[in-house]
Amino acid sequence: MTRLSLNFDTAFTQAKEEVDRVLLAAPLLIRRYTSYLTQTHGKFVRARAVLACAMDEEGCIGEDAIIFAAAIEVLHLATLVHDDIMDDAALRRGQETLQKKFGKRTAVICGDYLLSAAIQELRKVQDTDKYKQLNIPNYVEQICMGELRQNMNNRNYGLSMYRYLSIINGKTAALFEASYFAGAVVHEKDEARLRLYRQLGRYTGVIFQLTDDCIDYENDEQTALKSVQSDFEQGVVTLPVIHTFSQKPELKSKAETGTLSKEELLAAVKNCGGVAFTHQTAKRYYAKARRALDALHLSGQKADILKELLDKSYYGLKK
């Protein structure tokens, strides 16, 4: 079989088209509920990471990278569907969530279908050794364990920063690492360089989640295009709150007795610098990510795209 080598823009277009094909190829019963997702795609951050990392010295991308990019985006959609159920979220990317639109039971089944569709997509990879080296099931396990740990710590207002970072390393950063690794493994053979790609992906994912945590306290729904100021109401403890409770233990006690209002918490997060502390933590991870990126000694469009992805993860809606 002839293997294609494409430039980034062409490969990115094909990856988006492949995601749409996967969604629209679902059985009619499933498609009734999932077809609207083709209109609510995000910015394909993870697909962009896969394809950028897959670029060789001439800036060309092999077709296996397109399959990896599409599969990881579909897997990401599955995690979002399940996240929205867990969080009882009403909005995602400015649209009603699947669970809000069709109910939690339907959303669970659709999320499971998307997970299976992502796995089926990966079977198209021509170089099976690369698929085995990527080991997507391991990353799926990390994501699931991160989500489980978050659920187990729901309303745990004594959650430590260390344990919280462990949670987001699974629920968010693992898929970012998988994205960077999936692209790099297409053409890289050096283990040290592959490790740097994995580090870059992992750190970028942590930064992305920490920045996202701040959105709950910095933006309204029109700006964020999703439900905001809802984490605390759903019992999800994030770093701005962890820092605030460390500064004001009396508020932690009120939260544990259910007497802390959302308005009081929002004011306390602002007064205690919870958001600033979280951004400062993200900044430390940004420095680690830059060191990994610099150590790869990349240039041209590949370096530009990976730097852009890192910057957007850090600056979020502020840039």
Side-chain angles (χ1 to χ4, degrees):
M1 184 181 294
T2 302
R3 297 195 176 204
L4 302 175
S5 289
L6 306 169
N7 63 37
F8 180 85
D9 291 339
T10 301
F12 185 58
T13 297
Q14 289 196 12
K16 291 195 293 184
E17 290 173 349
E18 183 65 10
V19 172
D20 286 344
R21 190 205 63 75
V22 170
L23 294 176
L24 295 174
L28 179 60
L29 185 61
I30 294 289
R31 199 161 67 244
R32 285 179 55 200
Y33 303 110
T34 61
S35 60
Y36 88 102
L37 292 173
T38 60
Q39 282 81 49
T40 59
H41 290 331
K43 296 180 180 178
F44 283 83
V45 171
R46 293 152 193 82
R48 287 178 65 83
V50 173
L51 298 175
C53 292
M55 296 173 75
D56 64 16
E57 291 76 9
E58 286 74 42
C60 295
I61 299 170
E63 57 188 321
D64 275 353
I66 296 171
I67 299 302
F68 280 140
I72 284 176
E73 280 295 334
V74 174
L75 173 57
H76 175 54
L77 283 176
T79 67
L80 293 185
V81 170
H82 286 154
D83 274 352
D84 290 338
I85 297 166
M86 298 285 289
D87 299 341
D88 197 29
L91 288 176
R92 169 76 65 178
R93 296 167 183 164
Q95 302 285 332
E96 267 192 319
T97 59
L98 199 148
Q99 69 96 20
K100 178 71 173 178
K101 196 177 183 74
F102 301 111
K104 294 184 187 298
R105 292 186 179 184
T106 296
V108 167
I109 296 167
C110 289
D112 291 346
Y113 174 83
L114 290 172
L115 174 58
S116 69
I119 294 171
Q120 288 287 351
E121 180 70 10
L122 286 167
R123 294 180 62 189
K124 297 179 182 178
V125 171
Q126 295 180 42
D127 192 334
T128 55
D129 287 340
K130 298 300 186 186
Y131 167 68
K132 291 176 183 177
Q133 188 176 358
L134 177 58
N135 195 5
I136 279 289
N138 173 60
Y139 284 109
V140 173
E141 178 183 339
Q142 290 183 51
I143 295 165
C144 291
M145 290 306 299
E147 290 287 358
L148 180 59
R149 291 190 181 102
Q150 177 174 286
N151 186 58
M152 290 172 63
N153 283 282
N154 192 261
R155 304 192 190 284
N156 175 12
Y157 300 114
L159 186 66
S160 69
M161 177 177 172
Y162 174 81
R163 184 172 290 275
Y164 178 69
L165 290 173
S166 174
I167 289 170
I168 67 174
N169 257 286
K171 71 181 289 286
T172 303
L175 191 55
F176 270 83
E177 180 181 314
S179 304
Y180 284 67
F181 187 27
V185 79
V186 171
H187 70 91
E188 287 282 0
K189 294 182 173 60
D190 184 79
E191 283 297 327
R193 289 181 63 81
L194 287 172
R195 186 161 54 251
L196 286 170
Y197 278 106
R198 289 198 298 269
Q199 288 175 356
L200 176 59
R202 178 73 62 165
Y203 295 148
T204 302
V206 172
I207 294 163
F208 184 93
Q209 183 61 61
L210 292 173
T211 302
D212 191 68
D213 288 347
C214 294
I215 290 176
D216 232 34
Y217 303 96
E218 292 180 315
N219 300 100
D220 56 25
E221 289 186 357
Q222 287 71 32
T223 304
L225 298 180
K226 67 174 188 175
S227 302
V228 298
Q229 300 177 3
S230 59
D231 282 344
F232 178 69
E233 291 178 318
Q234 299 300 324
V236 178
V237 181
T238 59
L239 193 53
V241 173
I242 292 171
H243 176 75
T244 299
F245 286 169
S246 72
Q247 301 296 302
K248 288 186 173 293
E250 67 274 14
L251 294 181
K252 172 179 169 290
S253 299
K254 290 188 69 174
E256 289 172 341
T257 58
T259 58
L260 180 64
S261 69
K262 180 177 71 173
E263 292 74 20
E264 189 176 2
L265 176 66
L266 290 173
V269 168
K270 181 177 180 179
N271 293 334
C272 293
V275 169
F277 176 82
T278 302
H279 282 308
Q280 189 63 34
T281 303
K283 186 176 182 179
R284 291 199 293 272
Y285 278 94
Y286 181 88
K288 292 181 181 181
R290 277 308 306 262
R291 286 195 291 272
L293 181 57
D294 292 344
L296 286 166
H297 301 294
L298 304 175
S299 60
Q301 186 183 20
K302 181 171 186 172
D304 292 342
I305 293 171
L306 292 177
K307 175 65 163 54
E308 176 190 21
L309 290 173
L310 176 57
D311 285 348
K312 287 191 173 179
S313 294
Y314 177 64
Y315 291 103
L317 295 173
K318 301 194 296 299
K319 187 172 182 180

